[in-house]
């Protein structure tokens, strides 16, 4: 993933309040992202999706 694509994805997550961004006035500029409380609410859903994907991947290997 390129820096541009990563930045666009992080900005979109920030727009949806899934992550928050903190900018430090350093040279060179420093930015930190952290998950918000809203983002943390997605963790159980993402775990279920990951498990589903792993199960599908394993079942496809058996075919």
């Amino acid at each position: 993933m390129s820096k541009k694509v990563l930045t666009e994805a992080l900005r979109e997550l920030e727009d949806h309040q899934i992550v928050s961004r903190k900018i430090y006035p350093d040279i060179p500029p420093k930015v930190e992202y952290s998950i918000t409380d809203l983002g943390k609410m997605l963790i159980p859903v993402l775990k279920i999706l990951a498990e589903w994907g792993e199960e599908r991947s394993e079942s496809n290997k058996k075919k």
Side-chain angles (χ1 to χ4, degrees), residues 6-40:
L6 176 59
T7 299
E8 289 173 359
L10 287 168
R11 293 276 168 87
E12 186 172 342
L13 290 170
E14 183 183 18
D15 289 345
H16 293 287
Q17 300 177 349
I18 305 300
V19 299
S20 62
R21 178 172 56 139
K22 183 173 183 180
I23 303 170
Y24 295 90
D26 297 338
I27 303 292
K30 178 181 174 183
V31 177
E32 286 185 356
Y33 289 89
S34 57
I35 192 166
T36 62
D37 289 338
L38 182 63
K40 288 177 184 175

